[in-house]
Amino acid sequence: MALPIQIILIRQLAGYLGVPLYLADPKGDLLFYNEPAEALIGLRFEETGAMPAKTWTSMLTPMDEQGQVIPAEELPLMIALATQRPAYKRFYIHGMNGVRRHIEVASIPILGLQGEFLGATSLFWEVKECA
């Protein structure tokens, strides 16, 4: 499957960013995540490759402040895909390396030159707890 040029360019841009980035198609399947995301996730993209939405939304065990699992449809990337609008949320994850992290995620939809919906991307970063 040939990817739209906008998706290819975002993937290329992701390699230059110092913040973790996820890139998903309109169905929610993960197309790519960059090197800073690998550190939070605990696995390199070369180890996982592209993943169906059901896989990536459960592999990090997203949880709220009370430790309750957050349903996939409530994650910012899935909200941006469903509504084609930006979404933001703060929550916890457990990386594949077992490390629990408090993160913030901002997700935005991606549109083509003709306004066609191409997917969404998420930027996320770890929240540093104050002592």
Side-chain angles (χ1 to χ4, degrees), residues 1-8 25 31 118:
M1 169 183 91
L3 295 173
I5 188 68
Q6 294 88 342
I7 299 298
I8 294 167
D25 70 11
L31 300 174
L118 302 175

Side-chain angles (χ1 to χ4, degrees), residues 35-113:
E35 190 173 329
E38 294 173 347
L40 288 180
I41 294 166
L43 287 173
R44 297 185 52 190
F45 181 73
E46 288 78 21
E47 296 174 277
T48 65
M51 291 180 267
K54 192 171 213 166
T55 302
W56 75 260
T57 57
S58 63
M59 72 184 236
L60 297 175
T61 318
M63 293 175 294
D64 64 18
E65 296 280 335
Q66 290 75 37
Q68 299 297 312
V69 174
I70 299 170
E73 61 272 8
E74 293 179 19
L75 297 174
L77 186 56
M78 300 307 277
I79 293 169
L81 289 167
T83 65
Q84 296 184 25
R85 295 179 54 90
Y88 166 86
K89 192 176 204 86
R90 183 184 276 205
F91 55 96
Y92 293 86
I93 59 169
H94 277 97
M96 299 304 289
N97 55 8
V99 176
R100 182 177 189 247
R101 299 180 186 273
H102 192 191
I103 63 170
E104 292 180 288
V105 180
S107 300
I108 56 173
I110 302 166
L111 301 177
L113 294 175

Side-chain angles (χ1 to χ4, degrees), residues 20-24 30 32-33 37 41 56 59-60 77 120-122 124:
L21 178 140
Y22 266 16
L23 179 60
L30 189 63
F32 177 74
Y33 58 89
I41 294 166
W56 75 260
M59 72 184 236
L60 297 175
L77 186 56
T121 189
S122 286
F124 53 104

Side-chain angles (χ1 to χ4, degrees), residues 9-19 21 32 34-36:
L9 291 172
I10 291 171
R11 183 175 170 157
Q12 185 172 352
L13 171 66
Y16 297 102
L17 295 177
V19 296
L21 178 140
F32 177 74
N34 65 0
E35 190 173 329

